[in-house]
Amino acid sequence: MIRTRRVVLPAALFVAALAGCSSESEPTAASANGAAATPAITAAPVTTGPAPIADDATIHHLCNTIADLGNSLNFDSDANLAAGQRAELIVDPKFSLPGRGLVKAAGAASAAPGPDTNIDLAQAQLDFLDACGDKYGDGPW
């Protein structure tokens, strides 16, 4: 049901945008036999974001990735940002919300690295791993 809405809504918006592009007051080119030609409609390319994540195998992999970052005391803001951005794509809000927290903590750590931001990164990692443990039990996943 949710997947259907995600496909139908963008398609409906696209059709509505195309309908708004044509206007009855615009002149149309005449063909060789004198009949009005159909106006050409050009559409801007539709950009789509990364696909939402719903499969358990990908979520398990992400749980293990974030656990490895924490276990190795890896406070690399870029690695944590990448993991957090993937976590935000998970359809289950129990994962996506802590993923958003990891993105926020990684952004702060990138702007001002130090012990305080490392603590925030570690807490954001733990918040995500709590969701992993709640859904899948003890790791490794």
Side-chain angles (χ1 to χ4, degrees), residues 6 49-54 62 83-92 95-96 99:
R6 287 189 181 167
I53 298 171
L62 194 51
Q85 288 172 333
R86 292 279 298 155
E88 279 185 310
L89 296 175
I90 298 174
V91 254
D92 186 347
F95 290 100
S96 62

Side-chain angles (χ1 to χ4, degrees), residues 20-112:
C21 289
S22 67
S23 173
E24 295 298 320
S25 64
E26 291 180 34
T28 57
S31 65
N33 64 7
T38 305
I41 298 176
T42 57
V46 176
T47 57
T48 58
I53 298 171
D55 65 291
D56 285 335
T58 303
I59 298 171
H60 283 230
H61 179 70
L62 194 51
C63 289
N64 288 324
T65 299
I66 293 174
D68 290 343
L69 288 172
N71 289 337
S72 65
L73 300 176
N74 186 346
F75 299 111
D76 177 16
S77 59
D78 292 335
N80 281 282
L81 179 65
Q85 288 172 333
R86 292 279 298 155
E88 279 185 310
L89 296 175
I90 298 174
V91 254
D92 186 347
K94 291 180 182 176
F95 290 100
S96 62
L97 292 177
R100 188 169 299 134
L102 185 55
V103 167
K104 183 178 175 183
S110 176

